Amino acid sequence: MERVNLWRSPEHALNYLTRADTLPHRQEGEGVILDLIPKDGKRILDLGTGNGRLVSLLRVDRPQTEFIGVDFSPTMLETATQRFAEYGNVEIIAHNLDEPLPELGKFAAVVSSFAIHHLSDRRKRELYGEVFEILEAGGIFCNLEHVSSPTPALHEYFRRCVGLEEEPDDPSNQLLDVQTQLDWLREIGFGDVDCYWKWLEFALLVGRKPN
Ligand SMILES: C[S@@+](CC[C@H](N)C(=O)[O-])C[C@H]1O[C@@H](n2cnc3c(N)ncnc32)[C@H](O)[C@@H]1O
């Protein structure tokens, strides 16, 4: 079946940006990421950066760190590029995550929020492997993700909680359960793998590349 990804459409991107701040509990998950990411890391990569929300949060306490954000939505790329125009330490790059990551060098941390669930399951796993390769030894991967619910009733409850009960599911979503993704991270070689925070379909999946 043909996969649908609506994120290149400006309407889709802008619709998300108008409600991004209102997603319940996301700040708790983001807070855990801020606690986990070292303040002295040289380089951090954000996958599916959108308007650069996570980069912006991380930058506050990491003014010396070099950030790269990748995305494929023209609207998001333009918004993020403008947002960081005056800062020399943030680079926004156009890249479709359906394709292997380009050559970007090594990173102290790779982060992502609510983006990787737009990829096929096969591509999610491949991407996790690519993330492992580009992390420095001891580097950390934090994926704040939209995951699947264990039952249809819990999915409907989540949709009510986020105020989307009147709208159809976004066909761009390729939701996958937490456990499968944690198992993949372990198989790939990540250590300290766990779900470090979760609220219904929002989950923070974390792994560290061993030293
Ligand atoms: C829900 S938004 C999240 C944006 C941002 N990370 C945040 O937390 O606000 C999903 C992001 O993933 C990006 N995205 C979806 N599919 C993608 C793909 N195949 N390649 C690159 N970016 C993609 C979208 O353009 C969008 O910016």
Side-chain angles (χ1 to χ4, degrees), residues 3 6 12 28 42 48 56 58 70 77 83 99 102 111 114-115 119 143 156 167 183 192 198 209:
R3 280 190 48 241
L6 301 178
H12 202 75
E28 296 164 19
K42 200 159 169 270
S56 186
L58 287 162
V70 302
L77 289 166
R83 180 177 201 159
E99 304 298 327
V111 298
F114 304 135
L119 310 181
N143 181 18
E156 282 314 311
E167 297 188 27
D183 288 346
D192 293 339
K198 187 171 186 295
K209 184 163 177 171

Side-chain angles (χ1 to χ4, degrees), residues 64-90:
Q64 307 303 327
T65 300
E66 179 192 326
F67 291 90
I68 295 183
V70 302
D71 208 288
F72 81 155
S73 148
T75 304
M76 294 300 199
L77 289 166
E78 194 184 328
T79 311
T81 302
Q82 278 177 16
R83 180 177 201 159
F84 301 114
E86 64 186 282
Y87 305 113
N89 64 335
V90 183

Side-chain angles (χ1 to χ4, degrees), residues 35-98:
D35 288 343
L36 285 167
I37 303 287
K39 301 242 182 359
D40 57 356
K42 200 159 169 270
R43 304 178 77 231
I44 295 178
L45 174 66
D46 182 16
L47 301 171
T49 193
N51 71 350
R53 178 189 175 96
L54 201 46
V55 169
S56 186
L57 292 172
L58 287 162
R59 265 196 82 254
V60 174
D61 284 335
R62 296 162 188 80
Q64 307 303 327
T65 300
E66 179 192 326
F67 291 90
I68 295 183
V70 302
D71 208 288
F72 81 155
S73 148
T75 304
M76 294 300 199
L77 289 166
E78 194 184 328
T79 311
T81 302
Q82 278 177 16
R83 180 177 201 159
F84 301 114
E86 64 186 282
Y87 305 113
N89 64 335
V90 183
E91 189 181 358
I92 303 298
I93 293 177
H95 176 71
N96 183 348
L97 291 169
D98 287 333

Side-chain angles (χ1 to χ4, degrees), residues 83-143:
R83 180 177 201 159
F84 301 114
E86 64 186 282
Y87 305 113
N89 64 335
V90 183
E91 189 181 358
I92 303 298
I93 293 177
H95 176 71
N96 183 348
L97 291 169
D98 287 333
E99 304 298 327
L101 288 175
E103 179 51 57
L104 296 169
K106 292 276 185 183
F107 294 89
V110 177
V111 298
S112 185
S113 73
F114 304 135
I116 294 174
H117 68 282
H118 298 308
L119 310 181
S120 69
D121 290 352
R122 182 177 166 178
R123 181 63 197 136
K124 288 183 186 81
R125 196 190 188 287
E126 279 174 5
L127 181 59
Y128 291 167
E130 291 166 19
V131 168
F132 187 82
E133 292 305 319
I134 62 174
L135 278 173
E136 295 165 355
I140 190 165
F141 176 42
C142 294
N143 181 18

